[in-house]
Amino acid sequence: MTEEIELSMDCKAEAVLEILAGKWKRVILEQLFSNGTMRFSELRRAIPDITKKMLTSQLRELEYHDIVSRQVHLDVPPKVEYSVTEYAHRLIPLLEGLNRWGTEHIEHLKEIYGEEYAAKSPARPRRPDRAATGE
Amino acid sequence: MTEEIELSMDCKAEAVLEILAGKWKRVILEQLFSNGTMRFSELRRAIPDITKKMLTSQLRELEYHDIVSRQVHLDVPPKVEYSVTEYAHRLIPLLEGLNRWGTEHIEHLKEIYGEEYAAKSPARPRRPDRAATGE
DNA sequence: CCGTATCCAAGTCGATACTG
DNA sequence: CAGTATCGACTTGGATACGG
């Protein structure tokens, strides 16, 4: 029977998911949180597989959400520095919770499927139907 | 200067994001958490805009992650019931945190951009560059 | 009733070339 | 140095139509 949990999530969670969802957002935040202010080129070096286009767009989205701030220095050569905002620090507990849960969840999946579980949920999971002749 | 936060997120968060990321996953969980066991058709009625295909696929992914369980009753007419697993309850604090953060974040965005902020971050945010003549 | 198959539109991400 | 523009591959979500 139900446990009447009443989570009442009006799906405000979407707003946060949007911040964290991009493929590179979390790595970028990791860099900025642990290294402080970084230049565009430093970020590129720290995250070798990211393209300039991706780095730019993800940074712009984070900037829009007031998570990172962008300082443009008008000199030659051009120099743009990024850092996390004060506001971004409120994200930390959530990020930690997410990472803790993620780590445990991977273990949980291993217990269920063995070491060779697929990270991405398969289209047709191989779990057998549990049948019951209820009604 | 840096505050040496050392979040060390090896991006295990991805595993959780995958659970929560689908367009309908959170609404489905909301339903199952507050109503307990529900039939496929009940879920469809509770979430009018979802298609059968989407409902099926999202439920299968949640099932793969051991978040919902699927009970098939082999009688006529067919009857399939879904409910959240024991394991799923561990998600609740995270979900609550996500929702609380989301709610506050929407307020934060309103303070910055006014009531008419765009939910989705625009490609080119209209925030002016903050220039500094450093170097 | 509870799905699957097929097709299609939209969005995401990467590679590459060009610019202030 | 720090981007923007353009294109294409791949993925996601939606609209049907059909099957057990």
Side-chain angles (χ1 to χ4, degrees):
Chain A
M1 202 3 126
T2 316
E3 303 174 41
E4 293 302 345
I5 290 223
E6 207 63 52
L7 237 192
S8 114
M9 43 171 116
D10 328 282
C11 292
K12 302 292 190 185
E14 283 178 61
V16 201
L17 268 322
E18 200 201 327
I19 297 178
L20 273 4
K23 186 176 179 182
W24 301 100
K25 301 244 184 75
R26 295 176 307 281
V27 236
I28 292 173
L29 286 179
E30 178 185 7
Q31 288 298 321
L32 292 179
F33 267 122
S34 55
N35 297 341
T37 298
M38 292 177 81
R39 301 184 54 167
F40 189 82
S41 46
E42 289 183 283
L43 281 165
R44 289 203 69 193
R45 253 174 283 118
I47 313 170
D49 287 348
I50 201 172
T51 63
K52 281 184 288 184
K53 178 189 172 183
M54 272 299 108
L55 184 52
T56 305
S57 73
Q58 307 276 285
L59 282 168
R60 290 288 143 88
E61 287 176 34
L62 290 169
E63 188 192 4
Y64 173 81
H65 284 281
D66 192 28
I67 303 299
V68 315
S69 78
R70 177 168 177 265
Q71 253 87 234
V72 183
H73 300 268
L74 298 175
D75 15 79
V76 273
K79 178 173 162 183
V80 181
E81 292 182 319
Y82 293 90
S83 53
V84 294
T85 61
E86 250 307 293
Y87 180 69
H89 288 74
R90 299 195 209 169
L91 258 184
I92 293 178
L94 204 56
L95 252 4
E96 288 172 340
L98 244 18
N99 278 293
R100 198 158 350 96
W101 220 97
T103 309
E104 292 169 14
H105 186 55
I106 290 172
E107 288 308 309
H108 189 73
L109 290 181
K110 281 183 185 167
E111 284 172 23
I112 297 177
Y113 301 106
E115 291 289 332
E116 70 299 333
Y117 78 97
K120 294 286 172 189
S121 2
R124 217 38 214 297
R126 288 293 99 212
R127 304 182 77 189
D129 286 341
R130 261 85 43 78
T133 27
E135 180 76 26
Chain B
M1 207 0 126
T2 315
E3 303 174 40
E4 293 302 344
I5 288 219
E6 208 63 53
L7 237 191
S8 110
M9 45 171 117
D10 327 283
C11 291
K12 302 293 190 184
E14 282 178 63
V16 202
L17 267 326
E18 200 201 326
I19 297 179
L20 273 4
K23 186 176 180 183
W24 302 100
K25 302 241 184 76
R26 295 177 307 282
V27 233
I28 292 173
L29 286 178
E30 178 185 7
Q31 289 298 322
L32 292 179
F33 267 122
S34 52
N35 297 342
T37 298
M38 292 177 81
R39 302 184 54 167
F40 189 82
S41 45
E42 289 183 284
L43 281 165
R44 288 204 70 195
R45 255 173 283 117
I47 313 170
D49 287 349
I50 201 173
T51 63
K52 282 183 289 185
K53 178 189 171 182
M54 272 300 109
L55 184 50
T56 305
S57 74
Q58 305 277 284
L59 282 168
R60 290 288 143 87
E61 286 176 35
L62 290 169
E63 187 192 5
Y64 173 82
H65 283 281
D66 193 27
I67 303 298
V68 314
S69 79
R70 176 168 178 266
Q71 253 87 235
V72 183
H73 300 268
L74 298 175
D75 14 78
V76 273
K79 179 172 160 182
V80 182
E81 291 181 322
Y82 293 91
S83 53
V84 293
T85 61
E86 251 307 294
Y87 180 69
H89 288 75
R90 297 195 209 170
L91 258 184
I92 293 179
L94 204 57
L95 252 4
E96 288 173 339
L98 245 17
N99 279 293
R100 197 160 350 97
W101 219 98
T103 309
E104 292 169 15
H105 186 55
I106 290 171
E107 290 306 311
H108 189 74
L109 290 182
K110 282 182 187 171
E111 284 172 25
I112 297 177
Y113 301 106
E115 292 290 332
E116 70 299 334
Y117 79 97
K120 292 287 172 189
S121 4
R124 214 41 210 296
R126 287 292 100 214
R127 302 183 75 188
D129 285 341
R130 261 87 41 76
T133 26
E135 183 74 21

